[in-house]
């Protein structure tokens, strides 16, 4: 069973479009994250939600809006896509705060043309 | 603020040679350190964490608080070790994990 699943895995879209990436975890975790991996393989946290509440928001443009309908889901909506948004977006989850392993999804490859 | 530095973007070694992937961190408190591995076009996977003091796939890493380092080592590299390796730091009690910029390990047959 897939622990953290994201969809779509690949997404090619034009500049200016609005798109969403979905994420679900079946681990019973209460904390979920979105990370962005750019073309240079730099990996940076974007958001973190704990029990559906936003905990971390790392200077991400407000075109990016995460939505957590419940603890098991954290979707990422992106408005007015720009070329620089092309990256791999990883969803992740963990249980609570402290010393618990973070589990990553397989990534969503977004290409903006 | 915490910071993780991986000075090497690419490390190429021959199969059977020793491997050391460098990681240095800056944080004034007691951090928790991890190594994550990402095989080609796959998800990041936890490789090991300093509190476990374990060896996974032949890799070990020791936290050196004096040198603020957490280097990843393996005595004999295998071709299947070729991947992207990320050092990461988490502050106790917080969810945020700060990643280094990653080192690509290339094992040459």
């Amino acid at each position: 069973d897939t622990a953290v699943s994201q969809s779509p895995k690949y997404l090619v879209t034009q500049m200016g479009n609005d798109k969403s990436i979905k994420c679900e975890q079946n681990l019973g975790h209460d904390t979920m994250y979105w990370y962005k991996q750019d073309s240079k393989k730099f990996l940076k946290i974007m958001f973190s939600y704990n029990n559906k509440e936003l905990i971390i928001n790392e200077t991400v443009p407000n075109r990016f809006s995460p939505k957590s309908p419940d603890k098991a889901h954290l979707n990422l909506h992106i408005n007015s896509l720009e070329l620089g948004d092309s990256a791999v977006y990883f969803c992740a989850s963990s249980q609570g705060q402290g010393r618990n392993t973070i589990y990553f999804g397989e990534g969503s490859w977004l290409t903006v043309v | 603020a915490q910071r993780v530095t991986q000075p090497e973007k690419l490390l190429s070694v021959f199969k059977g040679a020793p491997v050391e992937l460098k990681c240095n961190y800056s944080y004034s408190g007691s951090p928790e350190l991890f190594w994550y591995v990402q095989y080609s076009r796959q998800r990041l996977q936890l490789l090991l964490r300093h509190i476990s003091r374990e060896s996974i796939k032949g890799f070990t890493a020791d936290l050196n608080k004096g040198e603020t380092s957490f280097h990843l080592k393996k005595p004999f590299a295998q071709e299947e070790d070729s991947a992207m390796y990320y050092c990461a730091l988490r502050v106790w009690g917080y969810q945020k994990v700060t990643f280094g910029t990653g080192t690509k390990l290339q094992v040459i047959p």
Side-chain angles (χ1 to χ4, degrees):
Chain A
D1 289 339
T2 303
V4 182
S5 58
Q6 304 176 222
S7 63
K9 187 164 185 177
Y10 301 100
L11 180 59
V12 181
T13 188
Q14 289 186 323
M15 278 196 308
N17 284 349
D18 303 337
K19 292 293 177 186
S20 293
I21 306 173
K22 295 182 178 180
C23 178
E24 176 182 5
Q25 54 93 5
N26 62 5
L27 296 165
H29 290 165
D30 60 3
T31 304
M32 296 185 72
Y33 315 77
W34 277 107
Y35 279 84
K36 178 181 179 181
Q37 185 180 45
D38 62 24
S39 58
K40 295 182 179 180
K41 302 295 187 183
F42 294 163
L43 191 64
K44 291 186 178 179
I45 190 168
M46 300 174 67
F47 301 103
S48 172
Y49 270 72
N50 177 260
N51 285 316
K52 302 194 299 175
E53 299 215 2
L54 182 66
I55 301 297
I56 297 171
N57 183 343
E58 288 284 309
T59 59
V60 177
N62 57 16
R63 296 183 296 103
F64 290 79
S65 53
K67 287 186 170 51
S68 182
D70 55 57
K71 287 195 310 182
H73 296 84
L74 182 61
N75 303 322
L76 183 64
H77 189 75
I78 315 171
N79 289 327
S80 302
L81 279 156
E82 300 176 357
L83 293 177
D85 298 332
S86 296
V88 184
Y89 292 86
F90 285 97
C91 179
S93 73
S94 69
Q95 178 56 33
Q97 301 183 46
R99 299 180 171 182
N100 292 307
T101 300
I102 296 178
Y103 294 86
F104 284 84
E106 292 184 321
S108 294
W109 272 256
L110 173 65
T111 302
V112 182
V113 297
Chain B
Q2 56 269 28
R3 187 185 178 102
V4 179
T5 303
Q6 293 179 248
E8 301 141 330
K9 289 183 66 174
L10 172 66
L11 181 65
S12 297
V13 301
F14 285 102
K15 178 182 173 180
V19 173
E20 183 178 46
L21 299 170
K22 290 185 167 47
C23 173
N24 287 89
Y25 67 90
S26 61
Y27 177 63
S28 56
S30 292
E32 186 181 8
L33 276 297
F34 308 83
W35 276 99
Y36 278 84
V37 59
Q38 184 182 28
Y39 299 102
S40 180
R41 301 182 77 81
Q42 294 188 26
R43 73 182 76 209
L44 276 87
Q45 305 171 44
L46 179 66
L47 183 61
L48 50 80
R49 48 201 299 188
H50 88 270
I51 60 171
S52 302
R53 302 184 67 83
E54 58 195 343
S55 173
I56 303 293
K57 299 183 180 181
F59 285 97
T60 59
D62 290 319
L63 179 61
N64 185 324
K65 292 187 177 180
E67 295 181 357
T68 59
S69 68
F70 188 56
H71 303 326
L72 183 68
K73 299 177 183 178
K74 184 170 182 176
F76 308 103
Q78 303 298 316
E79 288 180 63
E80 56 266 29
D81 296 329
S82 294
M84 196 76 180
Y85 290 81
Y86 290 93
C87 184
L89 177 154
R90 180 163 62 187
V91 173
W92 167 251
Y94 295 93
Q95 293 100 332
K96 179 182 174 181
V97 176
T98 301
F99 285 85
T101 49
T103 298
K104 183 176 181 178
L105 175 64
Q106 184 182 59
V107 180
I108 305 165

